[in-house]
Amino acid sequence: MKDSKLGPEAYAASRLASRQAANELQDRFETEGKPFGWFEALYARADGERAAIPWADAAPRFKLEAWLAQSGLGAGRAVDVGCGLGDNARILSAQGWTVTAFDLSETAISWARKRMADQFPKASIEFHTADLFDLPSIWRGAFELVHETYNLQALPRDKVADAMRYISSLAAPGGTVVVITRARDRDEVPDGPPWPLSRDDLDGFREAGLEEIQFEEFFDQRDDPIRHFLAVYRRANTKRNYE
Ligand SMILES: C[S@@+](CC[C@H](N)C(=O)[O-])C[C@H]1O[C@@H](n2cnc3c(N)ncnc32)[C@H](O)[C@@H]1O
């Protein structure tokens, strides 16, 4: 199995344990007042073993691939927010996009770079360690396509609205923002991580100045399918100050 030294049974057991480890790290770092610290700690602890990262499937998200295939968008500059091990970025690259991919975790970024060099040498991706909440100014309004999967649902609840503003700020005039997230009803109380988003939570993108152009509910392809939303937004085609 790619990026794993384990056989199928040990892999399944380790993958299950990784969710518990992620929850414990998230709790610990939250208590220490470092709510983002658990991401780097989890990647570092994995020491190159993919089974230790609960979201690392070594494959692009099927819904992103399906959406890209029918989007009708021409290629341009794309950014993958919170790219993890880089599989969504590589599908964007394979579709002809010029891809920038970033993640807060330095370990995730070196791991992603190595995976691409070893397994997908044709993928052309510029990887960066960067914080969504402290973006390089040259990225503001720079991308025709902004892709966000599963980051919002992993962030501290009180940061989600700000995160939507920063994600939106990456889109060029006329640019598209595609968001994939676990879904919940408005009245459901999420017990995360991950903390699924409600339709109302996603209004943050409209409040950030984007127009919603597609919204879909779907279930993923697991044995016990999980409810998701796909939401697509567009920035108006006028130049503006993104600050
Ligand atoms: C649940 S994972 C999703 C990874 C990937 N998008 C996927 O579909 O598998 C969330 C990712 O967001 C990254 N992340 C968390 N906070 C971030 C921040 N402030 N800026 C950039 N990346 C962040 C984490 O390191 C982690 O790789």
Side-chain angles (χ1 to χ4, degrees):
M1 210 176 300
K2 289 264 193 315
D3 309 301
S4 178
K5 298 176 209 74
L6 306 175
E9 274 177 30
Y11 179 87
S14 177
R15 188 67 190 254
L16 211 60
S18 74
R19 180 64 66 193
Q20 177 70 17
N23 287 355
E24 283 168 13
L25 283 172
Q26 189 272 329
D27 263 359
R28 197 179 93 211
F29 278 88
E30 177 94 55
T31 308
E32 289 172 8
K34 299 177 215 158
F36 294 91
W38 67 278
F39 295 105
E40 173 57 26
L42 188 71
Y43 282 113
R45 175 184 174 279
D47 194 23
E49 172 53 61
R50 183 167 63 81
I53 305 295
W55 51 80
D57 290 346
R61 303 290 163 201
F62 83 96
K63 194 65 181 177
L64 171 65
E65 272 195 280
W67 177 80
L68 276 173
Q70 58 78 64
S71 71
L73 288 178
R77 293 159 300 174
V79 62
D80 187 19
V81 176
C83 62
L85 301 188
D87 290 291
N88 296 317
R90 80 174 157 83
I91 204 70
L92 291 167
S93 167
Q95 302 276 328
W97 293 86
T98 301
V99 185
T100 297
F102 72 94
D103 200 286
L104 184 63
S105 162
E106 213 173 321
T107 302
I109 290 297
S110 14
W111 191 349
R113 280 199 186 110
K114 183 170 177 342
R115 289 185 71 234
M116 293 304 133
D118 292 350
Q119 298 172 34
F120 307 101
K122 289 198 183 136
S124 169
I125 303 163
E126 216 182 90
F127 283 107
H128 295 271
T129 303
D131 183 353
L132 175 63
F133 298 92
D134 188 17
L135 293 168
S137 56
I138 52 162
W139 289 0
R140 297 287 168 93
F143 300 96
E144 282 79 37
L145 179 61
V146 180
H147 166 248
E148 144 64 41
T149 287
Y150 291 173
N151 303 305
L152 292 169
Q153 66 185 38
L155 297 180
R157 298 297 71 207
D158 59 345
K159 302 287 185 212
V160 171
D162 271 356
M164 289 181 187
R165 277 200 305 109
Y166 283 106
I167 292 169
S168 304
S169 77
L170 292 161
T176 302
V177 177
V178 56
V179 178
I180 295 172
T181 179
R182 287 193 185 198
R184 69 173 172 92
D185 287 330
R186 182 193 294 160
D187 301 335
E188 263 175 71
V189 180
D191 175 23
W195 296 274
L197 269 65
S198 70
R199 181 100 163 82
D200 294 345
D201 291 332
L202 287 167
D203 279 345
F205 284 107
R206 287 200 276 223
E207 282 152 25
L210 304 184
E211 180 196 359
E212 184 185 289
I213 56 171
Q214 187 179 345
F215 185 85
E216 213 181 288
E217 184 178 320
F218 69 97
F219 286 81
D220 65 10
Q221 298 176 313
R222 297 157 40 123
D223 294 340
D224 51 343
I226 292 177
R227 184 179 170 220
H228 283 68
F229 293 140
L230 165 90
V232 185
Y233 303 89
R234 182 144 305 145
R235 176 174 289 295
N237 200 2
T238 48
K239 294 230 181 289
R240 49 165 286 180
N241 177 0
Y242 294 101
E243 280 302 321

